[in-house]
Amino acid sequence: MKKSLTTICYRFFTNLANPTRLAALEQLMTKPMSVSELAQILNQEQSMISHNLKPLLQCNIITIQKKGKQHIYTANKQTLTPIFAAIENHAQNFCPTGGACLKEETP
């Protein structure tokens, strides 16, 4: 049975709705990197980065390749480039408040 677009979008964007994952993806869009490289750049523990990469791997938003003992992560640019371009286009052309409409939720 085919899943509805609502379900697919919800699951996909839930993966992206995490600041650590988005920061990692932003870095991986520039070049493939290891967990230790990402951890250093993002100033986070390696375990936190690894934990956040797992759902991205499961959805093939990123891929992994072994290089000796290292695991090198690569962004799925075929998927992410048009998504990020659409978001950037929207922000530039249709967001007159400069993002003020995107309020941070407070618990």
Side-chain angles (χ1 to χ4, degrees):
M1 174 188 267
K2 187 176 178 182
K3 293 183 181 176
S4 74
L5 186 57
T6 300
T7 302
I8 293 167
C9 284
Y10 176 78
R11 289 183 179 168
F12 183 85
F13 286 110
T14 297
N15 262 325
L16 297 183
N18 174 296
T20 301
R21 290 180 197 151
L22 278 173
L25 287 173
E26 188 175 10
Q27 294 303 316
L28 291 173
M29 289 294 286
T30 64
K31 68 176 186 171
M33 294 185 203
S34 68
V35 171
S36 59
E37 288 174 297
L38 284 167
Q40 184 177 10
I41 290 169
L42 300 177
N43 196 28
Q44 298 232 2
E45 296 290 326
Q46 285 188 12
S47 60
M48 175 63 82
I49 300 300
S50 293
H51 173 77
N52 277 285
L53 293 178
K54 187 174 181 177
L56 299 174
L57 278 167
Q58 291 171 335
C59 286
N60 293 314
I61 296 171
I62 61 173
T63 58
I64 188 171
Q65 185 178 29
K66 284 188 177 184
K67 190 175 185 180
K69 290 186 178 185
Q70 282 191 321
H71 292 99
I72 305 299
Y73 294 86
T74 303
N76 178 342
K77 290 184 181 181
Q78 185 176 354
T79 297
L80 294 172
T81 299
I83 291 170
F84 289 166
I87 292 167
E88 188 174 353
N89 178 63
H90 177 81
Q92 289 176 355
N93 297 304
F94 301 104
C95 192
T97 62
C101 60
L102 304 173
K103 298 178 185 174
E104 279 193 47
E105 292 183 29
T106 53

